[in-house]
Amino acid sequence: MVQTILHGIPVSAGISIGKVYFMHRAGMHVVSHEPVHPDRLGYELERLDMAFDRARQELKDALDKVPPELKEHASLIDSHLMILADPKLQGSARRILEEQCIEAEWALDQAVERIADVFAAIEDPYIRERIQDVRAVSERVMNHLALLDRDNGAAALAAKPLSNRVVLMANDLTPADTIEIEVEKIMSLATEQGGKTSHTGILARSLQIPAVVGVSGLCETVKDGDLVIVDGLNGKVIVNPEEAVLGTYGDLKYQFEKYHQTINQACQLPAETTDGFRIMVYANIELAEEVTAALDHGGEGIGLYRTEYAFMHRRQLPTEEELYEEYKDLASICAPRRVVFRTLDVGGDKIVGVEPTDEANPAMGLRAIRFCLRHEELFKRQIRAILRAALHGNAALMFPMISGLRELNQAKFILAKAQRELEAEGVPYAKDMPIGMMVELPSAVVIAEMLAPEVDFFSIGTNDLIQYSLGIDRTNRYVSYLYQPLHPAVVRSIKHVVDAGHREGIEVNVCGELASDPYCVPILMGMQVDGLSIAPQAIPGIKRIIRQATLEECKDLLRDVLAANTVSKINRQVKETVFKRFPEEVMFFSSLLDLDEG
Ligand code: PEP
Ligand code: MG
């Protein structure tokens, strides 16, 4: 077999060598292409019918709720109901299932592809495009098939149990998909879509799985069962590796693991430079369960709890009590260490099933605080849960995507409302909880001095700040080469926010991926940020850099960086300095920087 090397974007460090398991398309629908035992045929037919029934019911319920002003959505739902009622889809899936004795998902998939062939031959482009509706309906049924599996006590992946650990590959994984992965079975991830800071990468890092995203040609080249190397250090996927390559990677894997053992041993020591500059290193987590990994890796608290995941992988939104229980557990496990609860940041590439998300430009649309201000009850529910949970530990609340004072005041107004309600109901809550905001929009950077007096702390979200400052969709691999964390505008923005916050006497932390980049951390230290909040897995290495560095050398580096006027000059400068000082860290960490250019 011929060795093929595919290139992508390294988003989670590490090396894995193993067999591929391909996940169906964009969703969590694991489609087995194997026949099932004839005894299971009846069950599969029943599952298929039930999934269609549930999809129908779901759409009927949705139809009842459509307000008059959204009539166009009603007609879309109507057309989807018609597709569901049309025997061409369900009938054909049933027939294929019976003929081939296969799983419902695979039968439905084939039925859709047959219909797609018919549509492809239609001349009228409008009608031809309607295949998208058939696909959307099929996706809905697929979701129910997966849920039915779960109802039967098995997770979606368990429908086709994995006996060995695998390299999971997919065209794309949404945050909602990745949450359902049976993590112990996955040794690494590779996807064809995705960019440097897409949430798939963020989750992969926190789960400590090597990952490469944006791999061109992945779906076309790689098959289930292929032997591959996923090189999460250099962004490569090597399919059917040659003997010698396997040997080299075996060695690299060994060195990587040994390095990790060494840094893990020292990870509980404080992050203090040799000349006495102390910086806090917190963890970013997506799931409450990650708190153990965060603390075990030396996290001094949780600097960013991305609370949206609890809202995303379920069909009904969580109640205040559920949220309270989850937040209370997290706050008390971490106590006396700080946990920063970021209020819901959905929209963009994080979808929650509250209303149709058909925005042409979701990253600039109804995202984060904008979404919450539009759904006040939902927002208040979460804030109440955080206020109550804060009594059980050292919690803080932080608003994402604040663009200006008006928005911040609106958010604080709802916070005050939640406090008044709890007061009136006699429900105990923390009255002195610190309130912070994320600085991730250029507008917030420019007016940082106006915002600082209104909050207790800033946390700079560089993932979005870079996206919005440079106009680069963070999930789009075609423009990922333009995602330049050390663009002079980005460096100056961060410095401006740190200085503005410090002038007002508030804490300024950085919680984007830049804070775990070995090349960028010395620059942030030179700015004297108060804390970094990073993936748990990155904490030991970043702490090691801090403990070996001096504040003076970081200030020198910052001075040079600020004096340079192009990204290439900055990257070259940083590469030389940091590589010399921290060779192991830069070798075993994936960087956001495009260092070839520098
Ligand atoms: C950021 O934008 O940098 C950030 C930390 O938030 P998220 O990645 O969740 O958007
Ligand atoms: Mg953000």
Side-chain angles (χ1 to χ4, degrees):
M1 258 184 272
V2 190
Q3 168 178 296
T4 313
I5 302 181
L6 302 172
H7 295 271
I9 305 160
V11 289
S12 185
I15 305 285
S16 88
I17 303 172
K19 295 268 173 84
V20 172
Y21 182 93
F22 234 99
M23 190 183 276
H24 176 64
R25 259 192 261 115
M28 244 320 281
H29 317 306
V30 182
V31 177
S32 164
H33 293 186
E34 301 292 322
V36 295
H37 192 277
D39 288 353
R40 203 171 142 178
L41 196 61
Y43 167 73
E44 288 299 326
L45 280 169
E46 209 177 293
R47 212 160 65 85
L48 183 72
D49 290 344
M50 222 189 272
F52 266 88
D53 286 347
R54 288 191 181 189
R56 258 190 292 273
Q57 195 52 50
E58 186 176 55
L59 284 180
K60 281 185 188 150
D61 292 347
L63 198 56
D64 290 342
K65 290 190 200 127
V66 177
E69 66 272 21
L70 291 177
K71 273 283 167 257
E72 68 273 20
H73 289 296
S75 64
L76 185 72
I77 296 175
D78 268 336
S79 70
H80 284 197
L81 273 168
M82 270 157 63
I83 295 169
L84 277 169
D86 189 330
K88 273 196 217 65
L89 185 60
Q90 187 173 358
S92 139
R94 282 186 119 259
R95 251 189 326 279
I96 294 169
L97 199 160
E98 282 173 316
E99 279 162 20
Q100 302 181 17
C101 195
I102 51 178
E103 271 185 5
E105 284 89 344
W106 181 215
L108 178 59
D109 219 26
Q110 291 190 55
V112 172
E113 290 319 312
R114 285 185 191 180
I115 296 173
D117 286 345
V118 176
F119 271 65
I122 295 173
E123 258 181 47
D124 182 330
Y126 177 78
I127 301 179
R128 202 169 53 227
E129 272 306 297
R130 292 308 96 219
I131 186 62
Q132 297 312 337
D133 291 328
V134 178
R135 291 199 190 280
V137 165
S138 139
E139 202 63 24
R140 184 179 293 278
V141 178
M142 285 282 195
N143 285 337
H144 283 286
L145 285 169
L147 286 170
L148 280 164
D149 267 345
R150 219 176 316 150
D151 292 350
N152 285 340
L157 257 181
K160 183 182 168 188
L162 296 171
S163 44
N164 296 313
R165 295 185 73 215
V166 291
V167 174
L168 187 78
M169 292 196 176
N171 178 38
D172 198 8
L173 293 168
T174 66
D177 295 334
T178 40
I179 200 169
E180 301 202 11
I181 294 170
E182 209 185 334
V183 199
E184 321 81 68
K185 296 278 172 65
I186 314 294
M187 58 168 90
S188 59
L189 278 175
T191 61
E192 177 138 356
Q193 305 300 324
K196 276 180 186 159
T197 59
S198 55
H199 284 80
T200 302
I202 293 171
L203 197 67
R205 272 193 299 284
S206 57
L207 296 173
Q208 305 190 50
I209 307 170
V212 184
V213 302
V215 186
S216 296
L218 187 81
C219 296
E220 219 174 280
T221 317
V222 189
K223 294 187 309 300
D224 254 347
D226 278 348
L227 179 69
V228 293
I229 297 170
V230 174
D231 175 354
L233 299 170
N234 302 297
K236 285 188 212 161
V237 174
I238 305 171
V239 192
N240 302 316
E242 288 162 6
E243 214 48 34
V245 175
L246 269 176
T248 310
Y249 269 98
D251 289 347
L252 188 60
K253 188 169 183 307
Y254 172 75
Q255 282 177 40
F256 179 79
E257 283 160 9
K258 210 166 117 210
Y259 161 77
H260 269 273
Q261 260 174 16
T262 319
I263 59 171
N264 284 340
Q265 277 159 9
C267 75
Q268 298 297 344
L269 297 170
E272 185 170 327
T273 59
T274 52
D275 51 356
F277 173 60
R278 177 80 164 91
I279 184 166
M280 297 298 283
V281 182
Y282 304 105
N284 290 349
I285 61 169
E286 277 79 30
L287 311 170
E289 299 86 73
E290 289 174 79
V291 64
T292 323
L295 303 182
D296 287 352
H297 281 85
E300 300 180 85
I302 306 297
L304 168 64
Y305 178 36
R306 292 184 165 97
T307 58
E308 40 281 359
Y309 285 85
F311 291 76
M312 285 169 55
H313 68 295
R314 43 192 297 161
R315 302 188 51 235
Q316 261 178 355
L317 294 171
T319 61
E320 179 182 323
E321 278 319 296
E322 283 174 277
L323 293 175
Y324 166 64
E325 287 298 328
E326 179 194 324
Y327 299 167
K328 181 182 80 173
D329 286 351
L330 184 56
S332 45
I333 292 171
C334 269
R337 286 164 287 218
R338 158 87 65 88
V339 183
V340 180
F341 289 91
R342 177 179 72 185
T343 60
L344 205 50
D345 180 0
V346 289
D349 65 339
K350 297 171 262 188
I351 311 299
V352 71
V354 172
E355 61 182 322
T357 43
D358 57 351
E359 297 169 285
N361 208 341
M364 302 237 194
L366 198 59
R367 223 198 113 174
I369 198 69
R370 307 164 184 185
F371 177 94
C372 286
L373 292 174
R374 187 179 156 101
H375 296 280
E376 188 181 319
E377 282 310 308
L378 184 65
F379 190 29
K380 198 144 51 69
R381 185 189 307 176
Q382 186 184 33
I383 292 176
R384 283 173 57 112
I386 298 171
L387 282 165
R388 290 171 59 198
L391 273 184
H392 303 269
N394 174 4
L397 181 150
M398 164 164 92
F399 300 120
M401 289 271 294
I402 294 290
S403 63
L405 262 177
R406 184 182 141 92
E407 218 165 19
L408 178 61
N409 287 335
Q410 282 173 330
K412 283 170 72 178
F413 180 75
I414 295 172
L415 169 75
K417 227 171 169 180
Q419 287 167 324
R420 276 200 305 277
E421 274 181 20
L422 291 170
E423 196 75 55
E425 292 163 25
V427 178
Y429 69 95
K431 304 207 161 122
D432 51 355
M433 184 173 60
I435 305 300
M437 60 165 272
M438 292 191 67
V439 181
E440 45 188 351
L441 289 175
S443 60
V445 170
V446 176
I447 58 161
E449 41 279 309
M450 300 176 189
L451 295 163
E454 305 301 321
V455 287
D456 298 308
F457 64 94
F458 279 155
S459 193
I460 307 176
T462 51
N463 304 340
D464 278 316
L465 184 59
I466 297 169
Q467 155 164 274
Y468 295 118
S469 300
L470 304 182
I472 309 298
D473 175 351
R474 60 194 267 190
T475 66
N476 183 337
R477 70 192 159 103
Y478 298 111
V479 289
S480 70
Y481 71 100
L482 286 172
Y483 193 92
Q484 296 159 329
L486 295 183
H487 188 292
V490 175
V491 178
R492 276 155 202 266
S493 294
I494 299 174
K495 172 122 185 10
H496 178 81
V497 176
V498 175
D499 292 345
H502 285 172
R503 271 197 305 274
E504 283 300 324
I506 66 166
E507 203 180 289
V508 185
N509 299 322
V510 180
C511 65
E513 299 308 296
L514 192 144
S516 58
D517 191 302
Y519 291 101
C520 302
V521 166
I523 299 172
L524 297 176
M525 288 165 68
M527 296 179 193
Q528 289 178 265
V529 298
D530 298 286
L532 304 174
S533 193
I534 61 184
Q537 184 196 10
I539 294 172
I542 293 301
K543 271 190 159 180
R544 189 163 131 128
I545 290 182
I546 297 168
R547 288 179 58 78
Q548 289 174 26
T550 65
L551 178 60
E552 280 319 302
E553 68 178 334
C554 294
K555 282 185 179 169
D556 288 346
L557 177 63
L558 174 65
R559 202 172 310 118
D560 292 342
V561 165
L562 288 171
N565 55 5
T566 66
V567 181
S568 340
K569 280 186 201 156
I570 295 178
N571 282 358
R572 202 176 314 125
Q573 174 73 47
V574 170
K575 186 177 164 185
E576 270 170 31
T577 313
V578 178
F579 189 75
K580 239 184 261 155
R581 286 286 281 118
F582 311 105
E584 279 191 315
E585 278 65 31
V586 296
M587 176 166 160
F588 292 127
F589 263 71
S590 53
S591 171
L592 294 165
L593 306 191
D594 185 357
L595 293 162
D596 294 338
E597 191 223 348

